Short mmCIF file of all heavy atoms in Angstrom, two decimals:
data_model
loop_
_atom_site.label_atom_id
_atom_site.label_comp_id
_atom_site.label_asym_id
_atom_site.label_seq_id
_atom_site.Cartn_x
_atom_site.Cartn_y
_atom_site.Cartn_z
N GLU X 297 -0.14 -14.97 7.13
CA GLU X 297 -1.59 -14.83 7.55
C GLU X 297 -2.19 -13.41 7.06
O GLU X 297 -3.46 -13.25 7.19
CB GLU X 297 -1.61 -15.01 9.02
CG GLU X 297 -1.16 -16.32 9.54
CD GLU X 297 -2.09 -17.48 8.97
OE1 GLU X 297 -3.32 -17.33 9.00
OE2 GLU X 297 -1.47 -18.47 8.50
N PHE X 298 -1.29 -12.49 6.55
CA PHE X 298 -1.87 -11.15 6.27
C PHE X 298 -2.94 -11.16 5.24
O PHE X 298 -3.86 -10.39 5.52
CB PHE X 298 -0.61 -10.34 5.81
CG PHE X 298 -1.03 -8.93 5.48
CD1 PHE X 298 -1.23 -7.98 6.41
CD2 PHE X 298 -1.03 -8.52 4.11
CE1 PHE X 298 -1.53 -6.70 6.10
CE2 PHE X 298 -1.32 -7.23 3.88
CZ PHE X 298 -1.63 -6.25 4.76
N TRP X 299 -2.88 -11.82 4.19
CA TRP X 299 -3.83 -11.82 3.20
C TRP X 299 -5.07 -12.45 3.62
O TRP X 299 -6.24 -12.03 3.02
CB TRP X 299 -3.33 -12.42 1.84
CG TRP X 299 -2.18 -11.72 1.32
CD1 TRP X 299 -0.90 -12.16 1.18
CD2 TRP X 299 -2.12 -10.42 0.81
NE1 TRP X 299 -0.22 -11.28 0.66
CE2 TRP X 299 -0.89 -10.06 0.45
CE3 TRP X 299 -3.10 -9.41 0.63
CZ2 TRP X 299 -0.57 -8.87 -0.06
CZ3 TRP X 299 -2.86 -8.16 0.12
CH2 TRP X 299 -1.53 -7.98 -0.26
N LYS X 300 -5.15 -13.27 4.57
CA LYS X 300 -6.44 -13.92 5.08
C LYS X 300 -7.26 -12.79 5.72
O LYS X 300 -8.52 -12.91 5.74
CB LYS X 300 -6.13 -15.07 6.07
CG LYS X 300 -5.59 -16.26 5.35
CD LYS X 300 -5.33 -17.30 6.45
CE LYS X 300 -4.75 -18.53 5.79
NZ LYS X 300 -4.37 -19.49 6.79
N HIS X 301 -6.62 -11.76 6.37
CA HIS X 301 -7.24 -10.81 7.17
C HIS X 301 -7.28 -9.50 6.53
O HIS X 301 -7.87 -8.54 7.10
CB HIS X 301 -6.62 -10.71 8.62
CG HIS X 301 -6.65 -12.01 9.28
ND1 HIS X 301 -7.74 -12.76 9.71
CD2 HIS X 301 -5.49 -12.82 9.54
CE1 HIS X 301 -7.31 -13.86 10.26
NE2 HIS X 301 -5.98 -13.97 10.13
N PHE X 302 -6.68 -9.28 5.38
CA PHE X 302 -6.49 -7.94 4.80
C PHE X 302 -7.74 -7.49 4.33
O PHE X 302 -8.53 -8.12 3.51
CB PHE X 302 -5.45 -7.97 3.66
CG PHE X 302 -5.29 -6.75 3.06
CD1 PHE X 302 -4.59 -5.63 3.68
CD2 PHE X 302 -5.76 -6.46 1.76
CE1 PHE X 302 -4.38 -4.43 3.12
CE2 PHE X 302 -5.58 -5.21 1.16
CZ PHE X 302 -4.85 -4.23 1.86
N ASN X 303 -8.18 -6.18 4.72
CA ASN X 303 -9.34 -5.49 4.05
C ASN X 303 -8.63 -4.16 3.61
O ASN X 303 -7.65 -3.61 4.18
CB ASN X 303 -10.30 -5.16 5.12
CG ASN X 303 -10.93 -6.38 5.69
OD1 ASN X 303 -11.02 -7.39 5.11
ND2 ASN X 303 -11.41 -6.31 6.95
N GLN X 304 -9.16 -3.67 2.62
CA GLN X 304 -8.68 -2.35 2.02
C GLN X 304 -8.93 -1.29 3.18
O GLN X 304 -10.10 -1.15 3.61
CB GLN X 304 -9.42 -2.02 0.79
CG GLN X 304 -8.97 -0.59 0.22
CD GLN X 304 -7.49 -0.60 -0.29
OE1 GLN X 304 -6.90 -1.60 -0.66
NE2 GLN X 304 -6.88 0.54 -0.03
N ILE X 305 -7.91 -0.60 3.63
CA ILE X 305 -7.88 0.41 4.65
C ILE X 305 -8.44 1.67 3.95
O ILE X 305 -7.92 2.01 2.84
CB ILE X 305 -6.58 0.59 5.22
CG1 ILE X 305 -6.00 -0.72 5.75
CG2 ILE X 305 -6.75 1.64 6.38
CD1 ILE X 305 -6.82 -1.41 6.82
N ASP X 306 -9.38 2.30 4.51
CA ASP X 306 -10.01 3.48 3.83
C ASP X 306 -9.03 4.61 3.76
O ASP X 306 -8.98 5.30 2.67
CB ASP X 306 -11.17 4.08 4.74
CG ASP X 306 -12.41 3.08 4.80
OD1 ASP X 306 -12.52 2.32 3.92
OD2 ASP X 306 -13.08 3.21 5.67
N ASN X 307 -8.11 4.86 4.68
CA ASN X 307 -7.18 5.90 4.60
C ASN X 307 -5.81 5.61 3.86
O ASN X 307 -4.94 6.45 3.80
CB ASN X 307 -6.80 6.47 5.93
CG ASN X 307 -8.10 6.91 6.62
OD1 ASN X 307 -8.93 7.58 6.06
ND2 ASN X 307 -8.27 6.54 7.90
N LEU X 308 -5.77 4.37 3.36
CA LEU X 308 -4.53 4.00 2.65
C LEU X 308 -4.64 4.40 1.25
O LEU X 308 -5.53 3.86 0.49
CB LEU X 308 -4.35 2.41 2.82
CG LEU X 308 -3.05 1.79 2.57
CD1 LEU X 308 -2.04 2.27 3.51
CD2 LEU X 308 -3.15 0.35 2.45
N SER X 309 -3.92 5.42 0.76
CA SER X 309 -4.15 5.90 -0.57
C SER X 309 -3.70 4.96 -1.58
O SER X 309 -4.18 4.84 -2.71
CB SER X 309 -3.45 7.24 -0.75
OG SER X 309 -2.09 7.24 -0.61
#
Side-chain angles (χ1 to χ4, degrees):
E297 300 293 313
F298 179 73
W299 295 114
K300 292 180 183 177
H301 305 290
F302 179 73
N303 297 331
Q304 179 63 33
I305 307 297
D306 292 336
N307 300 317
L308 199 63
S309 62

